[in-house]
Amino acid sequence: MEQLQALKQMLQMNRMAFDNSFNMMMSAFEQNKLMFNTYLTQSAGLPAEGKKAVEDWMKSYKKGCEEFKRMIDASYDAADDQLSKMDA
């Protein structure tokens, strides 16, 4: 049973490391998004459809990241459930 406890702790630590890394990545994305939006609003030479394309790309990227996070969370939850069943 000590091995199972060690495995649970490793999984918990791995999940925490992923969550922290993901949160840092999303913080960097938000900062870059603000900087890029400032650039887009100040650049007069970029056509409106180009600005819209960039905005759509940023929305798609964020949506993809959020979906990735949901899938990873679901995988960690499934692993936790399996380990809990083994513990019982």
Side-chain angles (χ1 to χ4, degrees), residues 44-68:
L46 191 62
E49 53 271 355
K51 291 177 184 180
K52 172 123 175 63
V54 171
E55 289 170 3
D56 289 345
W57 171 75
M58 286 191 283
K59 287 178 187 175
S60 294
Y61 177 79
K62 186 172 183 177
K63 183 180 175 186
C65 288
E66 290 168 350
E67 182 62 29
F68 176 69

Side-chain angles (χ1 to χ4, degrees), residues 7-41:
L7 186 58
K8 284 182 179 182
Q9 288 176 350
M10 285 174 28
L11 186 66
Q12 188 178 31
M13 194 166 99
N14 192 322
R15 185 178 199 159
M16 186 173 36
F18 172 79
D19 286 342
N20 289 338
S21 297
F22 184 83
N23 290 337
M24 288 179 62
M25 180 185 75
M26 291 310 292
S27 292
F29 169 74
E30 291 299 327
Q31 288 297 316
N32 287 331
K33 181 179 162 186
L34 289 173
M35 186 173 54
F36 205 68
N37 281 339
T38 302
Y39 171 76
L40 287 176
T41 56

